[in-house]
Amino acid sequence: MVTKDFEAIVIGSGATGGVAALTLAEAGIKVLVIEAGPNYSSQKAIGSEPCNSFRRISSLLTGEHGQQLQHPGFWKANPLLFAKKKDNPYLFPPSHPYIWTQGRQVGGRSLTWGGITLRLSNQNFTSAEVDGFGPNWPIKHEDLDKHYSALEKLFKIHGMRDGLQNLPDGEYISPLPLTSSEKSFASKIQNDLGYKLINSRGFGPHQPSKKEPWPKFSSPGSTLRKAIATGNVEVLCNHIVEKLIMNNEKDKAKGVLLINILTNSRIEIKGKLIIMCGSTIQTLKILLNSEETNHSNGFVDPSGMLGENLMDHISTCRFFAVPKTNADHTNNVDSNYTLSGAGSFLIPCGDKIQNNNSKKFIRDYGIWGGIDRFNIPSFLRKIPETTIGFLIGHGEVLPQKKNKVTLSNELDKWETPIPFIDCCWGENELLMVSDIQKTINLMITSAGGKILPLHELINLPFLEPILSGAMALQEGAPPPGYYIHEVGGAPMGREENSSVVDPINRLWRCSNVLVVDGACWPSSGWQSPTLTMMAITRRACLEAIKPRNA
């Protein structure tokens, strides 16, 4: 039981929560990190086989994880790290399905993160200046540059300095090598199509040890662990934040109202600074429940935009077979060739897209992929003398007022409003995904490959019924939420009538509340968002404590 007040309260213990806790703790501030779920040991969180597979089969039969099992990460990580549907419900229109993946444990979704770390470019921050759609960001790359760099150095990110205008370089250690098949693929699409393939940027594969039991890309394995080691951080588990508690003037939050999920009791915790790091939709749920429209003593959102403009990357995936090279690494036990954030490749398509005068959509997309990254035994391969690859295109989604999160009239088991998520792809996204599919087809054909369903590449008789219905393997784009890159709903801006938070992430009329996770994004870009979320968090926290350091 927490019996004292804290200088800062961080809501959420995942990627942004870990950065917030570390940034504040290193400045000497006493921090309470609140987590809705339990604090697992590394052994329990990571799990082992065959127990993880048994859990997946159980979930498939019972449906306890809902549509979360559609994401490939569910079949890679321990299902224990995915929240159960009955305890964490949400609603959506039948015509607009949404897949909301939740991680309710210390570390949150950082424990199931793919570990790709990309910067946004000024083209992303100022795209509205070019096409006139939606808002610009109130910040540019130069505002985040030193924070990107500090995080890349802390995490020891693998990558190369490629000199691309639409994908800024960072501070990297040596890149992980491409497989020989990937090098061949890169050469062919460069020569035939003019696309540049680069080493992916991010974390290498997790290699657990007694000294480093947690993945380095997770907050328990990096930022949160370092924050706790300062002696300035406490973690309160199994508590849900119901809403902010405002002062009488409603211009500051005094603290938060918590629900103990084990006892259903409610307690108030006071703090001078509150940082929202609970992930986009959880943050929006708390803010909506704390705003005056839904709470008589709530804060004021002068823009009326809270909850609007929810976005997620639109994606499409293709598996394929290419002829083996003489040096394929299928049976190579070197972990450098294991699929990971850095053990893969990227094809930023922005320059090619912008130079295409016949394109019918705005904004950009990129393609992530890997070839010969799966150590599949030869007896399971259906096509001899080939190796297997995949390409996943992910594109920017436009902010649309109609795509939003609201609070329904239905209550969950803790008597808090269940979020209602109404989000669907627009015409621009559908035109973009069609172009992504054409580009992927061209690349695979150029490389001498053949697109095939996964069950025609690998002999998996027990999983074929599952694979046949998998959203990732369908012709069209999976529904919003599938890619787990949701952002928006409480955007940053320069004016209070057109944004929810100011340029340093403070609620306009409640300045001691910072919104730093994906909720604060005005637009989505095409890049994996986690590194930018963490850079925004570090910047906002340092800005918030400037008077203390002066």
Side-chain angles (χ1 to χ4, degrees), residues 25-94:
E26 288 184 334
I29 291 174
K30 299 296 183 181
V31 181
L32 176 67
V33 176
I34 300 172
E35 171 53 52
N39 187 6
Y40 293 132
S41 67
S42 59
Q43 185 177 6
K44 185 169 184 178
I46 295 169
S48 61
E49 294 297 348
C51 294
N52 288 353
S53 291
F54 289 151
R55 291 190 184 102
R56 295 184 191 106
I57 294 170
S58 174
S59 177
L60 190 67
L61 295 174
T62 63
E64 66 181 359
H65 287 100
Q67 294 298 309
Q68 293 177 105
L69 56 79
Q70 289 285 349
H71 193 272
F74 183 86
W75 299 88
K76 179 182 178 182
N78 184 354
L80 194 66
L81 304 178
F82 294 78
K84 293 183 179 180
K85 181 174 66 173
K86 70 173 184 177
D87 293 334
N88 304 278
Y90 66 99
L91 304 172
F92 53 81

Side-chain angles (χ1 to χ4, degrees), residues 120-413:
L120 294 187
S121 72
N122 278 333
Q123 292 178 4
N124 304 116
F125 291 119
T126 61
S127 52
E129 293 179 5
V130 177
D131 54 46
F133 189 93
N136 284 312
W137 289 63
I139 59 174
K140 294 185 178 180
H141 180 268
E142 62 196 52
D143 297 301
L144 294 181
D145 185 23
K146 67 179 181 181
H147 306 290
Y148 277 135
S149 294
L151 291 165
E152 288 159 344
K153 291 176 182 177
L154 171 67
F155 295 135
K156 295 181 172 58
I157 296 300
H158 295 277
M160 287 186 66
R161 299 181 69 84
D162 298 292
L164 301 176
Q165 185 177 3
N166 65 342
L167 191 62
D169 292 326
E171 301 291 337
Y172 306 127
I173 61 174
S174 60
L176 295 186
L178 297 174
T179 67
S180 59
S181 293
E182 290 169 348
K183 291 175 183 176
S184 175
F185 185 87
S187 176
K188 289 173 180 176
I189 66 170
Q190 173 77 53
N191 294 334
D192 295 350
L193 304 173
Y195 284 97
K196 182 177 176 62
L197 182 151
I198 66 172
N199 296 72
S200 186
R201 303 167 179 178
F203 292 85
H206 175 47
Q207 298 175 289
S209 65
K210 288 184 178 181
K211 185 178 179 181
E212 299 285 351
W214 292 99
K216 292 181 180 178
F217 53 75
S218 70
S219 60
S222 57
T223 51
L224 188 60
R225 175 175 59 83
K226 290 178 180 292
I228 293 171
T230 66
N232 290 326
V233 174
E234 293 184 31
V235 179
L236 178 64
C237 307
N238 294 313
H239 281 74
I240 296 170
V241 177
E242 182 175 6
K243 61 187 175 185
L244 305 174
I245 302 171
M246 305 300 297
N247 63 10
N248 292 334
E249 294 76 22
K250 298 196 297 186
D251 62 350
K252 292 282 181 67
K254 296 190 299 182
V256 293
L257 180 62
L258 303 181
I259 304 172
N260 184 323
I261 66 171
L262 303 179
T263 65
N264 283 343
S265 60
R266 282 168 164 79
I267 60 170
E268 294 184 7
I269 300 294
K270 293 183 179 179
K272 297 177 181 178
L273 180 66
I274 298 172
I275 304 96
M276 309 293 293
C277 301
S279 81
T280 296
I281 296 173
Q282 287 290 358
T283 286
L284 294 178
K285 177 184 175 181
I286 295 168
L287 290 175
L288 286 165
N289 203 35
S290 306
E291 198 265 333
E292 66 169 355
T293 305
N294 296 301
H295 180 53
S296 59
N297 193 39
F299 72 90
V300 176
D301 168 34
S303 71
M305 295 175 60
L306 182 60
E308 297 177 352
N309 300 310
L310 181 68
M311 298 164 279
D312 179 37
H313 287 146
I314 190 165
S315 66
T316 185
C317 176
R318 294 290 183 269
F319 286 90
F320 60 95
V322 290
K324 275 188 176 182
T325 69
N326 292 329
D328 280 329
H329 301 92
T330 301
N331 297 314
N332 196 324
V333 295
D334 188 338
S335 65
N336 283 332
Y337 297 108
T338 301
L339 181 65
S340 64
S344 49
F345 62 77
L346 289 166
I347 307 170
C349 299
D351 291 340
K352 289 279 290 184
I353 295 170
Q354 298 308 322
N355 294 330
N356 181 2
N357 295 326
S358 64
K359 79 181 182 80
K360 300 178 182 179
F361 58 90
I362 61 174
R363 308 292 166 92
D364 298 342
Y365 61 80
I367 295 173
W368 178 56
I371 308 172
D372 199 26
R373 296 280 179 178
F374 310 107
N375 192 11
I376 301 169
S378 57
F379 69 88
L380 291 180
R381 294 170 176 266
K382 288 190 173 182
I383 308 177
E385 300 306 315
T386 64
T387 189
I388 297 171
F390 71 92
L391 295 178
I392 300 176
H394 44 101
E396 177 165 357
V397 169
L398 300 179
Q400 300 274 8
K401 183 177 181 179
K402 65 178 182 178
N403 292 331
K404 59 187 177 180
V405 178
T406 55
L407 298 181
S408 71
N409 293 325
E410 296 187 37
L411 303 180
D412 60 23
K413 62 187 292 185

